[in-house]
């Protein structure tokens, strides 16, 4: 990226339709309170992956991560269009979603009992996941649609998106009551329906506040980095501090610090600038590509790193199992790939040294036992 904001594309002036009164608006206390639930959800996803480091187990964790990410994104799109804390009605609705969102998060580790991950006879929590997920998604879509319906331009964009997005939670609900492969298949369909809805609707007119939208996503990155630090610290605390554990803790934390540096050094600033200067009709696509789609690889890469770091701190002088090393390669590829995607979307060029870094790290991790 090179940090060159001057290279960013500026198609046309910002319109009042694209930004709520073109004013800077930041995350509210209500949204930060809601994020506490998603902090727990990220922890649950890391736990799900950590206990089943097979390819199917990791892919199931990725699927759950996408569904949870989409639900959080739905809140962010709604909150960017209108201040959810300002009116008592929306404030009450958001607070009413919190018990259901927490129920969804609690149910994540036991959402795939048919996979053999859990003890025989452990209760299947997938029905609760499906019920809670559907309830929250439809409520947030309702809040978002109420605002979009007031303007002819935003109404059509929401219809294009919402007509599909309102169907996806039904597949999640159905999957909660299905079993094994059918459950996974239905949840994949739900994820794909949401993606198609976003591809279909984002080209229309959306009310998006660039400052608020960018800030909400940087806060989620902090949530994920916090999960990495919690995983590292909790593992060291459980084992007890020795010189060996201290070395592992320092190494794992240092990598987390590097990830923090790489992301916050330039990405929040340039993507907010790009979103702010996207012209009439382009802001929805920019928000979708840079944030909803573009940040997901970075988020999942940090979660995957948290899983590996937890295992490494437990015994830092031993070589990692191949499953951990493969997951670490995937984490690096997602982190760097996410940065490359954002770079391409903003300045239409790629940094070749980052491809070399992925290949070199992968070779080192896979060859060196």
């Amino acid at each position: 990226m090179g940090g060159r904001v001057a290279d960013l594309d500026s198609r046309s002036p910002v319109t009042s339709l694209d930004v709520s009164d073109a004013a800077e608006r930041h995350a509210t206390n209500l949204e930060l309170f809601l994020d506490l639930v998603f902090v727990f959800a990220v922890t649950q996803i890391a736990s799900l992956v950590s206990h089943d480091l097979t390819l199917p187990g990791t892919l199931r964790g990725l699927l759950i991560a996408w569904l949870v990410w989409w639900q959080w994104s739905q809140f962010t799109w709604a909150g960017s269009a209108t201040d959810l804390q300002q009116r008592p009605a929306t404030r009450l609705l958001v607070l009413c979603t919190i018990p259901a969102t927490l129920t969804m998060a609690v149910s994540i580790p036991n959402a795939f009992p048919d996979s053999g991950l859990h003890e025989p006879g452990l209760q299947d929590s997938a029905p609760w996941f499906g019920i809670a997920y559907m309830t929250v998604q439809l409520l947030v879509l309702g809040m978002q649609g109420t605002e979009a319906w007031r303007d002819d331009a935003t109404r059509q964009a929401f219809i294009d998106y919402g007509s599909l997005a309102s169907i996806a939670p039904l597949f999640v609900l159905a999957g909660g009551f299905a079993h094994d492969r059918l459950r996974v298949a239905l949840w994949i369909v739900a994820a794909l329906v949401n993606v198609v809805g976003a591809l279909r609707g984002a080209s229309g007119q959306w009310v998006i506040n660039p400052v608020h939208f960018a800030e909400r996503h940087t806060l989620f990155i902090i949530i994920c980095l916090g999960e990495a630090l919690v995983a590292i610290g909790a593992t060291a605390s459980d084992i007890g501090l020795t010189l060996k554990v201290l070395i592992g803790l320092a190494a794992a934390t240092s990598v987390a610090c590097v990830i923090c540096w790489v992301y916050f050094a330039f990405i929040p600033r340039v993507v907010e600038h790009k979103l702010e200067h996207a012209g009439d009709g382009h802001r929805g696509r920019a928000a979708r590509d840079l944030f909803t789609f573009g940040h997901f690889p970075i988020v999942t890469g940090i979660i995957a790193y948290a899983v590996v770091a937890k295992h490494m701190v437990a015994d830092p002088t031993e070589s990692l199992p191949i499953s951990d090393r493969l997951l670490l390669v995937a984490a690096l590829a997602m982190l760097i790939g996410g940065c490359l995607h954002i770079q391409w979307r903003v300045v239409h060029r790629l940094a070749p040294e980052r491809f070399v870094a992925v290949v070199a790290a992968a070779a080192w991790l896979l060859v060196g036992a």
Side-chain angles (χ1 to χ4, degrees), residues 276-297:
E276 181 181 356
H277 289 80
D280 185 19
H282 297 286
R283 180 161 288 131
R285 285 200 298 269
R288 178 197 65 194
D289 295 343
L290 290 172
F291 293 96
T292 305
F293 290 169
H295 273 60
F296 181 68

Side-chain angles (χ1 to χ4, degrees), residues 38 86 91 101 142 156 186 194 211 255 260 266 275 298 335 348:
F38 286 96
Q86 187 175 28
R91 191 186 316 149
T101 309
Q156 186 56 53
L186 288 170
N194 279 326
V211 173
V255 175
C260 179
F266 63 90
L275 191 59
I298 298 174
L335 284 165
H348 301 293

Side-chain angles (χ1 to χ4, degrees), residues 24-281:
E24 289 190 4
R25 182 162 58 82
H26 297 276
T28 64
N29 294 329
L30 181 64
E31 289 171 313
L32 297 177
F33 182 56
L34 174 67
D35 281 352
L36 295 178
V37 183
F38 286 96
V39 170
F40 182 59
V42 168
T43 301
Q44 294 286 78
I45 294 168
S47 177
L48 176 69
V49 175
S50 178
H51 287 87
D52 188 13
L53 276 181
T54 62
L55 180 59
T58 303
L59 292 177
R60 283 190 290 264
L62 183 64
L63 176 59
I64 290 288
W66 176 258
L67 293 175
V68 171
W69 169 254
W70 200 268
Q71 185 166 102
W72 180 87
S73 296
Q74 195 73 66
F75 276 107
T76 302
W77 281 78
S80 187
T82 182
D83 188 342
L84 299 175
Q85 184 171 277
Q86 187 175 28
R87 293 199 298 269
T90 54
R91 191 186 316 149
L92 179 61
L93 281 173
V94 172
L95 290 173
C96 287
T97 66
I98 288 178
T101 309
L102 187 59
T103 300
M104 177 201 71
V106 170
S107 65
I108 287 173
N110 299 330
F112 298 104
D114 295 333
S115 67
L117 172 61
H118 302 287
E119 295 293 333
L122 190 63
Q123 185 177 3
D124 184 0
S125 65
W128 293 111
F129 181 89
I131 294 170
Y133 192 92
M134 183 191 70
T135 301
V136 174
Q137 282 292 89
L138 294 182
L139 280 173
V140 181
L141 273 171
M143 286 188 282
Q144 187 178 11
T146 300
E147 291 298 321
W149 212 262
R150 296 175 180 177
D151 188 282
D152 291 339
T154 56
R155 183 187 306 133
Q156 186 56 53
F158 180 78
I159 290 173
D160 291 341
Y161 168 70
S163 57
L164 289 175
S166 58
I167 298 173
L170 302 179
F171 283 104
V172 178
L173 176 65
F177 289 92
H179 295 284
D180 202 13
R181 293 182 180 178
L182 180 58
R183 172 177 299 169
V184 173
L186 288 170
W187 286 355
I188 290 174
V189 170
L192 292 175
V193 168
N194 279 326
V195 170
V196 173
L199 293 172
R200 181 185 178 190
S203 58
Q205 298 284 359
W206 293 91
V207 179
I208 298 172
N209 187 294
V211 173
H212 177 272
F213 206 80
E215 184 179 83
R216 295 293 294 127
H217 285 79
T218 58
L219 288 172
F220 201 91
I221 296 296
I222 292 174
I223 287 173
C224 296
L225 286 169
E227 162 56 25
L229 295 179
V230 168
I232 295 166
T235 302
S237 179
D238 289 341
I239 298 172
L241 280 180
T242 63
L243 179 59
K244 184 171 67 172
V245 171
L246 186 61
I247 292 171
L249 183 149
T253 305
S254 297
V255 175
C257 291
V258 169
I259 296 171
C260 179
W261 181 296
V262 167
Y263 176 81
F264 286 100
F266 63 90
I267 290 180
R269 179 165 52 94
V270 296
V271 292
E272 180 185 325
H273 188 279
K274 180 71 173 181
L275 191 59
E276 181 181 356
H277 289 80
D280 185 19

